[in-house]
Structures are given as C-alpha cells and as structure tokens.
C-alpha cells in the first residue's frame, strides 16, 4: 500500500501548505472524501449523481455541496452534505485533514475537499433525488496500471491537466478526478 497507516496521511495533511482559493465570485462548496473499511486496505466512496439534480447531472462525485448559512466551515458543510445525501452519520467520520481547494471552471465553484475515515462499511441510505448509485472501490485499485490517465486541455490561454480514473465501467474526472489525484499524491507524500 502507499502508506503504513492513515495516521501518516493525517500528519501529511496537517503539515503541508494547503492552497486556499480566493475567488470572490465563486460559490463556496465542500466535499467529503470518504475513506472507509480498514486502515490497511481502505476503500474510497463515490456516488453517481441523478439527472434530477441542478448541477453535474450523472457525474461521479464525492458527497458534498454548497455552503449553507449555518455551516461553520468546510468540515461542517461536508459532513452535513454526506448525511443528507447518504445518511452517513457525522460522528462516524474521523477527519484526517483537507486537500487543496479545487475550482470548477464551468459551474464556478470553489470546493474544499475534507478527507475523512470511517471504520468499517456503514449502512448508507442514499437520497433517491440526488444519488443514482453508490460506488465503493479499493483505493489500491486506483493505482493499478491503466486506471489513471491524464489529458492536457488548452482553453482561454491556459493549459490544464485533466485527471481521470477509469475502473469497472466508471469514469471519475473533472473536479472529482483532480481531488482523487490530490489524495493519491498526499498518500504518496508528494
């Protein structure tokens, strides 16, 4: 595996300099990057959005969404959204830290990824209006040859790298792909 324990990941997230985006016109959002199962062989939890939601219809994502007035910050927003979308009890999530903010280019969000670990595989009850299906994949699967790919995109005079992970008929890309890439780099100590 990439690291000996998730405690090492927690320490790496604590000591690194985190990029915080400062875009006053962007909508603020947070996602929970849920790792679950065992520390030795964690799974990563995604879900596919329904076509009934306002943004990112049919895309594979992490639980999360826009800040609400009562949210105390990114962690509060991410945990609230994970509970609303999947009935994941906030008290079962052990927060490991935060990854760099990610900006979405089409929908104009600044997203703060909050990494959390859930011991075991809790029973989830997806909200049928938001969640088409739950996707759990061993984190090690994302490291297998042929799963990760990159593509370079040139738009508005800027060059962007698009990270994608294709496994078991699923394709994780866009902001979720960038967050997944950042998680794997943090696990590797990069």
């Amino acid at each position: 595996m990439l690291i000996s324990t998730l405690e090492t990941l927690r320490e790496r997230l604590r000591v690194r300099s985190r990029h915080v985006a400062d875009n006053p016109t962007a909508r603020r959002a947070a996602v929970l990057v849920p790792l679950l199962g065992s520390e030795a062989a964690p799974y990563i939890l995604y879900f596919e959005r329904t076509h009934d939601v306002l943004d990112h219809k049919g895309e594979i994502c992490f639980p999360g969404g826009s800040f609400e007035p009562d949210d105390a910050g990114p962690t509060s927003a991410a945990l609230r959204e994970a509970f609303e979308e999947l009935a994941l009890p906030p008290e079962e999530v052990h927060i490991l830290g935060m990854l760099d903010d990610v900006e979405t280019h089409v929908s104009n969000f600044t997203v703060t990824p909050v990494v959390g670990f859930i011991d075991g595989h809790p029973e989830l009850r997806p909200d049928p209006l938001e969640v088409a299906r739950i996707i759990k994949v061993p984190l090690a699967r994302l490291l297998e040859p042929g799963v990760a790919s990159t593509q370079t995109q040139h738009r508005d005079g800027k060059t962007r790298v698009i990270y994608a992970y294709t496994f078991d008929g699923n394709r994780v890309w866009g902001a979720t792909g960038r967050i997944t890439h950042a998680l794997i780099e943090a696990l590797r100590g990069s």
Side-chain angles (χ1 to χ4, degrees):
M1 190 65 205
L2 296 168
I3 57 173
S4 57
T5 67
L6 292 178
E7 194 57 41
T8 303
L9 174 61
R10 180 193 317 267
E11 182 61 16
R12 287 179 180 163
L13 293 174
R14 186 186 70 75
V15 300
R16 67 190 283 279
S17 295
R18 192 176 85 77
H19 169 72
V20 177
D22 183 23
N23 180 351
T25 65
R27 296 179 285 176
R28 295 289 311 174
V31 296
L32 180 65
V33 181
L35 302 174
L36 48 98
S38 71
E39 286 193 24
Y43 281 68
I44 190 165
L45 174 70
Y46 301 102
F47 71 83
E48 181 181 332
R49 296 173 61 82
T50 67
H51 288 274
D52 299 325
V53 293
L54 292 176
D55 295 307
H56 310 290
K57 297 172 187 297
E59 291 184 12
I60 294 174
C61 65
F62 292 113
S66 296
F67 282 24
E68 291 189 359
D70 290 341
D71 291 330
T75 300
S76 174
L79 292 173
R80 176 187 50 74
E81 286 283 344
F83 182 74
E84 290 174 5
E85 294 169 341
L86 301 171
L88 179 61
E91 64 274 8
E92 291 188 22
V93 181
H94 306 281
I95 301 300
L96 302 178
M98 290 186 257
L99 297 167
D100 292 346
D101 284 351
V102 171
E103 296 182 82
T104 63
H105 307 291
V106 176
S107 55
N108 196 31
F109 276 99
T110 294
V111 181
T112 302
V114 179
V115 182
F117 176 70
I118 301 95
D119 192 19
H121 293 271
E123 181 181 337
L124 302 173
R125 293 182 312 278
D127 179 337
L129 296 176
E130 295 191 60
V131 180
R133 66 187 172 100
I134 293 173
I135 301 165
K136 294 180 192 176
V137 60
L139 191 55
R141 175 87 169 91
L142 300 180
L143 304 173
E144 292 176 3
V147 171
S149 64
T150 59
Q151 177 182 349
T152 303
Q153 179 185 66
H154 306 282
R155 181 196 285 173
D156 302 327
K158 295 180 182 177
T159 301
R160 294 184 180 96
V161 177
I162 299 171
Y163 298 97
Y165 296 84
T166 305
F167 58 92
D168 307 327
N170 301 299
R171 184 168 186 261
V172 175
W173 63 283
T176 305
R178 284 184 276 154
I179 293 167
T180 300
H181 176 75
L183 174 69
I184 290 170
E185 291 300 298
L187 285 164
R188 287 184 170 140
S190 302

